[in-house]
Amino acid sequence: MAEIQQQASGGGKGGKKRAKKMSTKIDMTPMVDLAFLLLTFFMLTTTFSKPTVMQVTMPVKEKEPNKDPTVLKASDAFTVLLGENNKIYYYEGLLDATTKPELKLSSYDANGIRKTLLDRRRANPGTVVLIKPDDNSNYKNMVDILDEMNITDQKKYALVDISKADQDLIKNSGL
C-alpha cells in the first residue's frame, strides 16, 4: 500500500506559508508475497518433462574374454540394409563368398519391413536381425528401423557396419 506522509508544519508565526513537503512511501510487502506465492505454486504444480530417449540395450561384458564369440547360424540371420534415398533392403541368411541371397526392397510403413519382421519372427523365433546402415543413409531411417525393432518386439538385433559385398549386392540388384 502506498501512503503519503505529511510533515507537521512548524512555526506558527506569520510570514509566508510554504508548501507542505510530502514524502511517499510504497510498501512492497504484498507484491513480494504475491511473487513468492506464484513461484511456489508453479514449482509445486509443474510436471517435469519425461525423457524422450530411446533405450538401447548394450551387450553384456564377457566373463571369459579369450573365449571364441558365438557364431551366428545363417538360418537365424536376417539382414536389413539401409540405403540412400530412404530405401530399405533385406535378405535372409548371411552373405559370403559362396552364398548370394536374394535381395528384396521394402518400405518403412506397417505393410513393409514391419510385416516382414513379424512374419520372420513367427517362422523362426530365434531370428537375429543385423542392421547395416549405408554411409549415404540418414539418421531418421536408423531411428525408424530401431522403432520397428521395438514395435515388433525383436529381442536380438545388432548394428553392424555395411560391408563392401553388401554395397555391391545393392548396386547389382537393380532395385
Short mmCIF file of all heavy atoms in Angstrom, two decimals, residues 59-130:
data_model
loop_
_atom_site.label_atom_id
_atom_site.label_comp_id
_atom_site.label_asym_id
_atom_site.label_seq_id
_atom_site.Cartn_x
_atom_site.Cartn_y
_atom_site.Cartn_z
N PRO A 59 25.56 -54.82 -25.14
CA PRO A 59 25.95 -56.21 -24.90
C PRO A 59 26.57 -56.38 -23.52
O PRO A 59 27.17 -55.46 -22.97
CB PRO A 59 26.98 -56.49 -26.00
CG PRO A 59 27.35 -55.18 -26.56
CD PRO A 59 26.30 -54.19 -26.20
N VAL A 60 26.39 -57.57 -23.00
CA VAL A 60 26.92 -57.89 -21.68
C VAL A 60 28.42 -58.16 -21.81
O VAL A 60 28.88 -58.77 -22.78
CB VAL A 60 26.20 -59.13 -21.12
CG1 VAL A 60 26.74 -59.50 -19.76
CG2 VAL A 60 24.71 -58.89 -21.06
N LYS A 61 29.15 -57.69 -20.82
CA LYS A 61 30.60 -57.91 -20.83
C LYS A 61 30.88 -59.39 -20.64
O LYS A 61 30.30 -60.04 -19.76
CB LYS A 61 31.25 -57.10 -19.72
CG LYS A 61 32.74 -57.10 -19.77
CD LYS A 61 33.31 -56.17 -18.72
CE LYS A 61 34.81 -56.14 -18.81
NZ LYS A 61 35.38 -55.23 -17.82
N GLU A 62 31.78 -59.90 -21.47
CA GLU A 62 32.09 -61.33 -21.41
C GLU A 62 32.86 -61.67 -20.14
O GLU A 62 33.74 -60.92 -19.72
CB GLU A 62 32.92 -61.73 -22.62
CG GLU A 62 32.19 -61.58 -23.92
CD GLU A 62 33.06 -61.97 -25.11
OE1 GLU A 62 34.10 -62.63 -24.89
OE2 GLU A 62 32.71 -61.62 -26.21
N LYS A 63 32.53 -62.83 -19.57
CA LYS A 63 33.25 -63.26 -18.38
C LYS A 63 34.60 -63.84 -18.75
O LYS A 63 35.57 -63.68 -18.03
CB LYS A 63 32.42 -64.30 -17.63
CG LYS A 63 31.14 -63.72 -17.04
CD LYS A 63 30.32 -64.75 -16.34
CE LYS A 63 29.04 -64.13 -15.79
NZ LYS A 63 28.16 -65.11 -15.21
N GLU A 64 34.65 -64.52 -19.89
CA GLU A 64 35.91 -65.09 -20.37
C GLU A 64 36.28 -64.40 -21.68
O GLU A 64 35.77 -64.74 -22.74
CB GLU A 64 35.74 -66.59 -20.60
CG GLU A 64 35.37 -67.36 -19.35
CD GLU A 64 35.11 -68.82 -19.65
OE1 GLU A 64 35.62 -69.33 -20.66
OE2 GLU A 64 34.38 -69.44 -18.87
N PRO A 65 37.16 -63.42 -21.65
CA PRO A 65 37.46 -62.66 -22.86
C PRO A 65 38.17 -63.46 -23.95
O PRO A 65 38.10 -63.12 -25.12
CB PRO A 65 38.36 -61.52 -22.36
CG PRO A 65 38.84 -61.92 -21.03
CD PRO A 65 37.90 -62.94 -20.49
N ASN A 66 38.83 -64.53 -23.62
CA ASN A 66 39.56 -65.31 -24.62
C ASN A 66 38.67 -66.34 -25.33
O ASN A 66 39.10 -66.99 -26.26
CB ASN A 66 40.75 -66.02 -23.98
CG ASN A 66 41.77 -65.02 -23.48
OD1 ASN A 66 41.87 -63.92 -24.01
ND2 ASN A 66 42.50 -65.39 -22.44
N LYS A 67 37.47 -66.48 -24.87
CA LYS A 67 36.55 -67.44 -25.46
C LYS A 67 36.10 -66.94 -26.84
O LYS A 67 35.87 -65.75 -27.03
CB LYS A 67 35.34 -67.60 -24.53
CG LYS A 67 34.38 -68.66 -24.96
CD LYS A 67 33.24 -68.75 -23.95
CE LYS A 67 32.21 -69.75 -24.41
NZ LYS A 67 31.08 -69.76 -23.50
N ASP A 68 35.98 -67.88 -27.78
CA ASP A 68 35.55 -67.51 -29.13
C ASP A 68 34.10 -67.01 -29.09
O ASP A 68 33.27 -67.56 -28.38
CB ASP A 68 35.63 -68.73 -30.05
CG ASP A 68 37.07 -69.08 -30.37
OD1 ASP A 68 37.93 -68.18 -30.29
OD2 ASP A 68 37.33 -70.26 -30.69
N PRO A 69 33.78 -65.98 -29.86
CA PRO A 69 32.41 -65.47 -29.86
C PRO A 69 31.47 -66.47 -30.52
O PRO A 69 31.87 -67.30 -31.33
CB PRO A 69 32.50 -64.19 -30.68
CG PRO A 69 33.71 -64.33 -31.51
CD PRO A 69 34.65 -65.20 -30.73
N THR A 70 30.22 -66.36 -30.15
CA THR A 70 29.21 -67.26 -30.70
C THR A 70 29.04 -66.99 -32.20
O THR A 70 28.94 -65.84 -32.62
CB THR A 70 27.87 -67.03 -29.99
OG1 THR A 70 28.07 -67.15 -28.59
CG2 THR A 70 26.83 -68.02 -30.45
N VAL A 71 29.00 -68.04 -32.95
CA VAL A 71 28.84 -67.92 -34.40
C VAL A 71 27.35 -67.93 -34.72
O VAL A 71 26.60 -68.77 -34.24
CB VAL A 71 29.56 -69.07 -35.11
CG1 VAL A 71 29.35 -68.98 -36.62
CG2 VAL A 71 31.04 -69.06 -34.77
N LEU A 72 26.94 -66.95 -35.52
CA LEU A 72 25.54 -66.84 -35.90
C LEU A 72 25.25 -67.79 -37.05
O LEU A 72 25.95 -67.79 -38.07
CB LEU A 72 25.23 -65.39 -36.31
CG LEU A 72 23.83 -65.09 -36.79
CD1 LEU A 72 22.83 -65.32 -35.66
CD2 LEU A 72 23.76 -63.66 -37.27
N LYS A 73 24.20 -68.60 -36.89
CA LYS A 73 23.82 -69.52 -37.96
C LYS A 73 23.12 -68.74 -39.07
O LYS A 73 22.41 -67.77 -38.80
CB LYS A 73 22.88 -70.60 -37.43
CG LYS A 73 23.53 -71.54 -36.45
CD LYS A 73 22.65 -72.71 -36.12
CE LYS A 73 21.40 -72.28 -35.40
NZ LYS A 73 20.57 -73.39 -34.93
N ALA A 74 23.34 -69.15 -40.28
CA ALA A 74 22.74 -68.47 -41.43
C ALA A 74 21.22 -68.58 -41.41
O ALA A 74 20.52 -67.67 -41.87
CB ALA A 74 23.31 -69.04 -42.72
N SER A 75 20.71 -69.67 -40.85
CA SER A 75 19.26 -69.84 -40.81
C SER A 75 18.59 -68.88 -39.83
O SER A 75 17.40 -68.59 -39.96
CB SER A 75 18.91 -71.28 -40.45
OG SER A 75 19.42 -71.60 -39.16
N ASP A 76 19.35 -68.37 -38.86
CA ASP A 76 18.80 -67.42 -37.88
C ASP A 76 19.04 -65.97 -38.27
O ASP A 76 18.51 -65.06 -37.63
CB ASP A 76 19.42 -67.65 -36.50
CG ASP A 76 18.97 -68.96 -35.89
OD1 ASP A 76 17.93 -69.49 -36.34
OD2 ASP A 76 19.65 -69.45 -34.98
N ALA A 77 19.83 -65.73 -39.27
CA ALA A 77 20.21 -64.36 -39.63
C ALA A 77 19.18 -63.72 -40.56
O ALA A 77 18.65 -64.36 -41.47
CB ALA A 77 21.57 -64.35 -40.29
N PHE A 78 18.91 -62.46 -40.30
CA PHE A 78 18.03 -61.66 -41.15
C PHE A 78 18.70 -60.29 -41.26
O PHE A 78 18.87 -59.60 -40.26
CB PHE A 78 16.64 -61.54 -40.53
CG PHE A 78 15.66 -60.83 -41.40
CD1 PHE A 78 15.02 -61.49 -42.43
CD2 PHE A 78 15.36 -59.49 -41.19
CE1 PHE A 78 14.11 -60.83 -43.23
CE2 PHE A 78 14.46 -58.83 -41.97
CZ PHE A 78 13.83 -59.50 -43.00
N THR A 79 19.11 -59.92 -42.44
CA THR A 79 19.90 -58.70 -42.62
C THR A 79 19.04 -57.61 -43.24
O THR A 79 18.33 -57.84 -44.22
CB THR A 79 21.11 -58.99 -43.53
OG1 THR A 79 21.84 -60.06 -42.97
CG2 THR A 79 21.99 -57.76 -43.64
N VAL A 80 19.11 -56.42 -42.63
CA VAL A 80 18.40 -55.25 -43.12
C VAL A 80 19.45 -54.23 -43.54
O VAL A 80 20.32 -53.86 -42.75
CB VAL A 80 17.48 -54.65 -42.04
CG1 VAL A 80 16.83 -53.37 -42.52
CG2 VAL A 80 16.44 -55.66 -41.62
N LEU A 81 19.36 -53.78 -44.80
CA LEU A 81 20.31 -52.80 -45.31
C LEU A 81 19.58 -51.48 -45.49
O LEU A 81 18.52 -51.42 -46.12
CB LEU A 81 20.88 -53.27 -46.65
CG LEU A 81 21.57 -54.62 -46.66
CD1 LEU A 81 21.90 -55.04 -48.09
CD2 LEU A 81 22.83 -54.56 -45.84
N LEU A 82 20.14 -50.41 -44.92
CA LEU A 82 19.56 -49.08 -45.06
C LEU A 82 20.32 -48.36 -46.16
O LEU A 82 21.52 -48.11 -46.02
CB LEU A 82 19.65 -48.30 -43.75
CG LEU A 82 19.06 -48.98 -42.52
CD1 LEU A 82 19.25 -48.10 -41.30
CD2 LEU A 82 17.60 -49.30 -42.73
N GLY A 83 19.64 -48.05 -47.23
CA GLY A 83 20.29 -47.42 -48.37
C GLY A 83 19.99 -45.93 -48.44
O GLY A 83 19.31 -45.37 -47.59
N GLU A 84 20.51 -45.32 -49.49
CA GLU A 84 20.26 -43.90 -49.69
C GLU A 84 18.85 -43.69 -50.23
O GLU A 84 18.20 -44.64 -50.67
CB GLU A 84 21.30 -43.30 -50.63
CG GLU A 84 21.32 -43.90 -52.00
CD GLU A 84 22.44 -43.34 -52.85
OE1 GLU A 84 22.88 -42.22 -52.59
OE2 GLU A 84 22.85 -44.04 -53.78
N ASN A 85 18.38 -42.47 -50.18
CA ASN A 85 17.03 -42.09 -50.64
C ASN A 85 15.92 -42.86 -49.92
O ASN A 85 14.94 -43.26 -50.53
CB ASN A 85 16.89 -42.28 -52.16
CG ASN A 85 17.85 -41.41 -52.93
OD1 ASN A 85 18.17 -40.31 -52.49
ND2 ASN A 85 18.34 -41.91 -54.04
N ASN A 86 16.09 -43.07 -48.62
CA ASN A 86 15.09 -43.73 -47.76
C ASN A 86 14.72 -45.13 -48.24
O ASN A 86 13.59 -45.57 -48.07
CB ASN A 86 13.83 -42.87 -47.65
CG ASN A 86 14.10 -41.55 -47.00
OD1 ASN A 86 14.95 -41.44 -46.11
ND2 ASN A 86 13.41 -40.51 -47.44
N LYS A 87 15.62 -45.82 -48.84
CA LYS A 87 15.36 -47.19 -49.29
C LYS A 87 15.82 -48.17 -48.23
O LYS A 87 16.80 -47.94 -47.52
CB LYS A 87 16.07 -47.46 -50.60
CG LYS A 87 15.45 -46.73 -51.77
CD LYS A 87 16.04 -47.18 -53.06
CE LYS A 87 15.32 -46.50 -54.22
NZ LYS A 87 15.88 -46.90 -55.51
N ILE A 88 15.09 -49.26 -48.14
CA ILE A 88 15.44 -50.30 -47.18
C ILE A 88 15.38 -51.65 -47.91
O ILE A 88 14.43 -51.94 -48.63
CB ILE A 88 14.51 -50.25 -45.94
CG1 ILE A 88 14.94 -51.28 -44.92
CG2 ILE A 88 13.06 -50.40 -46.33
CD1 ILE A 88 14.26 -51.11 -43.58
N TYR A 89 16.42 -52.42 -47.75
CA TYR A 89 16.53 -53.73 -48.39
C TYR A 89 16.69 -54.77 -47.29
O TYR A 89 17.13 -54.46 -46.18
CB TYR A 89 17.76 -53.80 -49.30
CG TYR A 89 17.86 -52.68 -50.30
CD1 TYR A 89 18.58 -51.53 -50.01
CD2 TYR A 89 17.26 -52.77 -51.53
CE1 TYR A 89 18.69 -50.51 -50.92
CE2 TYR A 89 17.36 -51.76 -52.46
CZ TYR A 89 18.09 -50.62 -52.15
OH TYR A 89 18.19 -49.61 -53.07
N TYR A 90 16.35 -55.99 -47.62
CA TYR A 90 16.59 -57.07 -46.66
C TYR A 90 16.85 -58.37 -47.41
O TYR A 90 16.48 -58.52 -48.59
CB TYR A 90 15.41 -57.22 -45.70
CG TYR A 90 14.13 -57.70 -46.34
CD1 TYR A 90 13.84 -59.06 -46.40
CD2 TYR A 90 13.23 -56.81 -46.86
CE1 TYR A 90 12.66 -59.50 -46.98
CE2 TYR A 90 12.05 -57.24 -47.45
CZ TYR A 90 11.77 -58.58 -47.50
OH TYR A 90 10.62 -59.01 -48.09
N TYR A 91 17.50 -59.24 -46.72
CA TYR A 91 17.65 -60.60 -47.22
C TYR A 91 17.78 -61.54 -46.03
O TYR A 91 18.14 -61.13 -44.93
CB TYR A 91 18.84 -60.75 -48.18
CG TYR A 91 20.20 -60.41 -47.62
CD1 TYR A 91 20.95 -61.34 -46.92
CD2 TYR A 91 20.74 -59.15 -47.81
CE1 TYR A 91 22.20 -61.03 -46.43
CE2 TYR A 91 21.99 -58.82 -47.33
CZ TYR A 91 22.71 -59.76 -46.64
OH TYR A 91 23.95 -59.44 -46.15
N GLU A 92 17.46 -62.79 -46.27
CA GLU A 92 17.53 -63.79 -45.22
C GLU A 92 18.84 -64.55 -45.35
O GLU A 92 19.30 -64.83 -46.46
CB GLU A 92 16.34 -64.74 -45.31
CG GLU A 92 15.03 -64.03 -45.09
CD GLU A 92 13.83 -64.96 -45.17
OE1 GLU A 92 14.03 -66.17 -45.30
OE2 GLU A 92 12.72 -64.44 -45.10
N GLY A 93 19.45 -64.86 -44.24
CA GLY A 93 20.71 -65.58 -44.25
C GLY A 93 21.89 -64.63 -44.18
O GLY A 93 21.75 -63.45 -43.87
N LEU A 94 23.05 -65.20 -44.43
CA LEU A 94 24.28 -64.43 -44.38
C LEU A 94 24.89 -64.34 -45.78
O LEU A 94 24.77 -65.27 -46.58
CB LEU A 94 25.28 -65.07 -43.42
CG LEU A 94 24.88 -65.07 -41.94
CD1 LEU A 94 25.86 -65.89 -41.14
CD2 LEU A 94 24.82 -63.64 -41.41
N LEU A 95 25.57 -63.25 -46.02
CA LEU A 95 26.23 -63.05 -47.30
C LEU A 95 27.69 -63.46 -47.17
O LEU A 95 28.40 -62.96 -46.30
CB LEU A 95 26.12 -61.59 -47.72
CG LEU A 95 26.78 -61.19 -49.02
CD1 LEU A 95 26.09 -61.88 -50.19
CD2 LEU A 95 26.74 -59.69 -49.19
N ASP A 96 28.12 -64.38 -47.99
CA ASP A 96 29.53 -64.74 -48.02
C ASP A 96 29.94 -65.01 -49.46
O ASP A 96 29.16 -64.78 -50.39
CB ASP A 96 29.83 -65.92 -47.09
CG ASP A 96 29.02 -67.16 -47.42
OD1 ASP A 96 28.32 -67.15 -48.44
OD2 ASP A 96 29.11 -68.14 -46.67
N ALA A 97 31.13 -65.48 -49.64
CA ALA A 97 31.66 -65.67 -51.00
C ALA A 97 30.91 -66.73 -51.78
O ALA A 97 30.79 -66.65 -53.00
CB ALA A 97 33.14 -66.03 -50.92
N THR A 98 30.39 -67.73 -51.07
CA THR A 98 29.71 -68.83 -51.77
C THR A 98 28.21 -68.64 -51.90
O THR A 98 27.59 -69.16 -52.79
CB THR A 98 29.98 -70.16 -51.04
OG1 THR A 98 29.49 -70.05 -49.70
CG2 THR A 98 31.46 -70.48 -51.03
N THR A 99 27.63 -67.87 -50.99
CA THR A 99 26.17 -67.71 -50.95
C THR A 99 25.80 -66.27 -51.32
O THR A 99 26.33 -65.32 -50.76
CB THR A 99 25.64 -68.01 -49.54
OG1 THR A 99 26.11 -69.27 -49.12
CG2 THR A 99 24.13 -68.00 -49.54
N LYS A 100 24.91 -66.14 -52.26
CA LYS A 100 24.41 -64.83 -52.64
C LYS A 100 22.89 -64.84 -52.43
O LYS A 100 22.15 -65.37 -53.24
CB LYS A 100 24.74 -64.51 -54.09
CG LYS A 100 24.41 -63.10 -54.47
CD LYS A 100 24.88 -62.79 -55.87
CE LYS A 100 24.54 -61.36 -56.20
NZ LYS A 100 24.98 -61.01 -57.54
N PRO A 101 22.42 -64.24 -51.33
CA PRO A 101 20.98 -64.28 -51.04
C PRO A 101 20.20 -63.34 -51.96
O PRO A 101 20.75 -62.46 -52.60
CB PRO A 101 20.91 -63.81 -49.59
CG PRO A 101 22.13 -63.01 -49.39
CD PRO A 101 23.17 -63.57 -50.29
N GLU A 102 18.88 -63.59 -51.97
CA GLU A 102 18.01 -62.75 -52.79
C GLU A 102 17.69 -61.46 -52.03
O GLU A 102 17.13 -61.48 -50.94
CB GLU A 102 16.71 -63.50 -53.10
CG GLU A 102 15.75 -62.70 -53.93
CD GLU A 102 14.41 -63.40 -54.10
OE1 GLU A 102 14.25 -64.52 -53.59
OE2 GLU A 102 13.53 -62.81 -54.72
N LEU A 103 18.05 -60.33 -52.64
CA LEU A 103 17.82 -59.02 -52.01
C LEU A 103 16.43 -58.53 -52.38
O LEU A 103 16.02 -58.60 -53.54
CB LEU A 103 18.87 -58.02 -52.50
CG LEU A 103 18.87 -56.67 -51.82
CD1 LEU A 103 19.29 -56.80 -50.36
CD2 LEU A 103 19.79 -55.71 -52.54
N LYS A 104 15.69 -58.04 -51.37
CA LYS A 104 14.33 -57.54 -51.60
C LYS A 104 14.23 -56.11 -51.11
O LYS A 104 14.85 -55.74 -50.14
CB LYS A 104 13.32 -58.42 -50.85
CG LYS A 104 13.29 -59.84 -51.36
CD LYS A 104 12.34 -60.69 -50.57
CE LYS A 104 12.39 -62.13 -51.08
NZ LYS A 104 11.60 -63.03 -50.26
N LEU A 105 13.41 -55.34 -51.79
CA LEU A 105 13.17 -53.94 -51.43
C LEU A 105 11.92 -53.86 -50.57
O LEU A 105 10.93 -54.57 -50.83
CB LEU A 105 13.00 -53.09 -52.70
CG LEU A 105 12.78 -51.60 -52.50
CD1 LEU A 105 14.02 -50.96 -51.89
CD2 LEU A 105 12.44 -50.94 -53.82
N SER A 106 11.94 -53.01 -49.56
CA SER A 106 10.79 -52.86 -48.68
C SER A 106 10.59 -51.38 -48.39
O SER A 106 11.23 -50.52 -48.99
CB SER A 106 11.01 -53.65 -47.40
OG SER A 106 9.86 -53.60 -46.59
N SER A 107 9.70 -51.09 -47.46
CA SER A 107 9.45 -49.70 -47.06
C SER A 107 9.35 -49.65 -45.53
O SER A 107 9.32 -50.67 -44.87
CB SER A 107 8.17 -49.19 -47.70
OG SER A 107 7.08 -49.95 -47.24
N TYR A 108 9.26 -48.43 -44.99
CA TYR A 108 9.23 -48.26 -43.55
C TYR A 108 7.81 -48.26 -42.98
O TYR A 108 7.64 -48.06 -41.79
CB TYR A 108 9.91 -46.94 -43.16
CG TYR A 108 11.39 -46.96 -43.38
CD1 TYR A 108 11.95 -46.44 -44.53
CD2 TYR A 108 12.23 -47.50 -42.43
CE1 TYR A 108 13.31 -46.47 -44.74
CE2 TYR A 108 13.60 -47.54 -42.62
CZ TYR A 108 14.13 -47.01 -43.78
OH TYR A 108 15.47 -47.04 -43.98
N ASP A 109 6.80 -48.49 -43.79
CA ASP A 109 5.43 -48.46 -43.27
C ASP A 109 5.04 -49.82 -42.66
O ASP A 109 5.83 -50.75 -42.63
CB ASP A 109 4.45 -48.03 -44.36
CG ASP A 109 4.46 -48.96 -45.56
OD1 ASP A 109 5.21 -49.94 -45.52
OD2 ASP A 109 3.71 -48.70 -46.52
N ALA A 110 3.81 -49.87 -42.17
CA ALA A 110 3.36 -51.07 -41.45
C ALA A 110 3.31 -52.31 -42.33
O ALA A 110 3.51 -53.42 -41.85
CB ALA A 110 1.99 -50.81 -40.83
N ASN A 111 3.05 -52.13 -43.61
CA ASN A 111 2.99 -53.29 -44.50
C ASN A 111 4.35 -53.59 -45.13
O ASN A 111 4.45 -54.50 -45.96
CB ASN A 111 1.95 -53.05 -45.60
CG ASN A 111 0.55 -53.05 -45.05
OD1 ASN A 111 0.26 -53.78 -44.11
ND2 ASN A 111 -0.29 -52.20 -45.59
N GLY A 112 5.35 -52.85 -44.77
CA GLY A 112 6.68 -53.05 -45.33
C GLY A 112 7.53 -53.93 -44.44
O GLY A 112 7.25 -55.12 -44.23
N ILE A 113 8.56 -53.32 -43.87
CA ILE A 113 9.54 -54.08 -43.09
C ILE A 113 8.92 -54.63 -41.81
O ILE A 113 9.31 -55.71 -41.34
CB ILE A 113 10.79 -53.22 -42.81
CG1 ILE A 113 11.94 -54.08 -42.30
CG2 ILE A 113 10.48 -52.10 -41.85
CD1 ILE A 113 12.49 -55.03 -43.32
N ARG A 114 7.93 -53.94 -41.26
CA ARG A 114 7.30 -54.42 -40.02
C ARG A 114 6.62 -55.77 -40.24
O ARG A 114 6.78 -56.70 -39.46
CB ARG A 114 6.29 -53.40 -39.50
CG ARG A 114 5.66 -53.81 -38.18
CD ARG A 114 4.66 -52.81 -37.70
NE ARG A 114 5.23 -51.47 -37.64
CZ ARG A 114 4.52 -50.36 -37.48
NH1 ARG A 114 3.21 -50.43 -37.34
NH2 ARG A 114 5.10 -49.19 -37.44
N LYS A 115 5.86 -55.86 -41.33
CA LYS A 115 5.17 -57.12 -41.64
C LYS A 115 6.19 -58.23 -41.91
O LYS A 115 6.02 -59.37 -41.45
CB LYS A 115 4.26 -56.91 -42.85
CG LYS A 115 3.41 -58.10 -43.19
CD LYS A 115 2.43 -57.75 -44.30
CE LYS A 115 1.50 -58.87 -44.60
NZ LYS A 115 2.08 -59.93 -45.36
N THR A 116 7.25 -57.88 -42.60
CA THR A 116 8.28 -58.88 -42.89
C THR A 116 8.95 -59.37 -41.61
O THR A 116 9.18 -60.57 -41.44
CB THR A 116 9.34 -58.26 -43.83
OG1 THR A 116 8.69 -57.73 -44.98
CG2 THR A 116 10.36 -59.28 -44.24
N LEU A 117 9.24 -58.44 -40.70
CA LEU A 117 9.87 -58.83 -39.43
C LEU A 117 8.94 -59.71 -38.60
O LEU A 117 9.39 -60.69 -37.98
CB LEU A 117 10.28 -57.59 -38.64
CG LEU A 117 11.49 -56.81 -39.18
CD1 LEU A 117 11.62 -55.49 -38.46
CD2 LEU A 117 12.75 -57.63 -39.02
N LEU A 118 7.66 -59.35 -38.57
CA LEU A 118 6.71 -60.16 -37.80
C LEU A 118 6.56 -61.56 -38.39
O LEU A 118 6.52 -62.54 -37.66
CB LEU A 118 5.35 -59.45 -37.73
CG LEU A 118 5.30 -58.22 -36.83
CD1 LEU A 118 3.98 -57.49 -37.00
CD2 LEU A 118 5.51 -58.59 -35.37
N ASP A 119 6.48 -61.64 -39.72
CA ASP A 119 6.39 -62.96 -40.37
C ASP A 119 7.64 -63.79 -40.09
O ASP A 119 7.56 -64.99 -39.82
CB ASP A 119 6.19 -62.79 -41.87
CG ASP A 119 4.82 -62.22 -42.20
OD1 ASP A 119 3.94 -62.26 -41.33
OD2 ASP A 119 4.66 -61.72 -43.34
N ARG A 120 8.79 -63.13 -40.17
CA ARG A 120 10.06 -63.84 -39.94
C ARG A 120 10.14 -64.35 -38.49
O ARG A 120 10.59 -65.46 -38.23
CB ARG A 120 11.22 -62.89 -40.26
CG ARG A 120 12.57 -63.40 -39.90
CD ARG A 120 13.03 -64.50 -40.82
NE ARG A 120 14.30 -65.01 -40.33
CZ ARG A 120 15.07 -65.81 -40.97
NH1 ARG A 120 14.72 -66.23 -42.16
NH2 ARG A 120 16.19 -66.22 -40.46
N ARG A 121 9.69 -63.52 -37.56
CA ARG A 121 9.76 -63.90 -36.15
C ARG A 121 8.80 -65.05 -35.83
O ARG A 121 9.09 -65.90 -35.00
CB ARG A 121 9.46 -62.69 -35.27
CG ARG A 121 10.04 -62.85 -33.89
CD ARG A 121 9.97 -61.60 -33.11
NE ARG A 121 9.38 -61.98 -31.85
CZ ARG A 121 8.33 -61.41 -31.30
NH1 ARG A 121 7.78 -60.40 -31.86
NH2 ARG A 121 7.88 -61.84 -30.16
N ARG A 122 7.64 -65.03 -36.49
CA ARG A 122 6.69 -66.14 -36.29
C ARG A 122 7.29 -67.44 -36.82
O ARG A 122 7.14 -68.49 -36.20
CB ARG A 122 5.38 -65.83 -37.01
CG ARG A 122 4.32 -65.35 -36.06
CD ARG A 122 2.98 -65.18 -36.74
NE ARG A 122 2.65 -63.76 -36.65
CZ ARG A 122 2.49 -62.94 -37.67
NH1 ARG A 122 2.56 -63.37 -38.89
NH2 ARG A 122 2.22 -61.67 -37.48
N ALA A 123 7.95 -67.36 -37.97
CA ALA A 123 8.52 -68.56 -38.57
C ALA A 123 9.73 -69.06 -37.80
O ALA A 123 9.93 -70.26 -37.64
CB ALA A 123 8.91 -68.28 -40.02
N ASN A 124 10.55 -68.13 -37.30
CA ASN A 124 11.76 -68.51 -36.58
C ASN A 124 11.93 -67.56 -35.39
O ASN A 124 12.46 -66.46 -35.54
CB ASN A 124 12.99 -68.41 -37.51
CG ASN A 124 14.25 -68.88 -36.85
OD1 ASN A 124 14.25 -69.31 -35.70
ND2 ASN A 124 15.34 -68.79 -37.59
N PRO A 125 11.51 -67.97 -34.18
CA PRO A 125 11.61 -67.08 -33.02
C PRO A 125 13.04 -66.71 -32.64
O PRO A 125 13.26 -65.72 -31.96
CB PRO A 125 10.95 -67.88 -31.90
CG PRO A 125 10.17 -68.94 -32.55
CD PRO A 125 10.82 -69.22 -33.86
N GLY A 126 14.00 -67.47 -33.07
CA GLY A 126 15.41 -67.18 -32.73
C GLY A 126 16.10 -66.29 -33.74
O GLY A 126 17.32 -66.25 -33.79
N THR A 127 15.36 -65.53 -34.49
CA THR A 127 15.93 -64.68 -35.52
C THR A 127 16.77 -63.56 -34.91
O THR A 127 16.39 -62.93 -33.93
CB THR A 127 14.81 -64.05 -36.37
OG1 THR A 127 14.09 -65.08 -37.01
CG2 THR A 127 15.37 -63.10 -37.40
N VAL A 128 17.93 -63.33 -35.50
CA VAL A 128 18.79 -62.22 -35.13
C VAL A 128 18.83 -61.28 -36.33
O VAL A 128 19.19 -61.68 -37.43
CB VAL A 128 20.21 -62.70 -34.78
CG1 VAL A 128 21.11 -61.51 -34.47
CG2 VAL A 128 20.17 -63.66 -33.62
N VAL A 129 18.44 -60.02 -36.10
CA VAL A 129 18.39 -59.04 -37.18
C VAL A 129 19.71 -58.25 -37.18
O VAL A 129 20.11 -57.72 -36.15
CB VAL A 129 17.20 -58.09 -37.02
CG1 VAL A 129 17.19 -57.04 -38.12
CG2 VAL A 129 15.90 -58.87 -37.01
N LEU A 130 20.35 -58.23 -38.33
CA LEU A 130 21.57 -57.45 -38.50
C LEU A 130 21.20 -56.19 -39.27
O LEU A 130 20.75 -56.28 -40.42
CB LEU A 130 22.62 -58.25 -39.25
CG LEU A 130 23.03 -59.58 -38.61
CD1 LEU A 130 23.93 -60.35 -39.56
CD2 LEU A 130 23.71 -59.33 -37.30
#
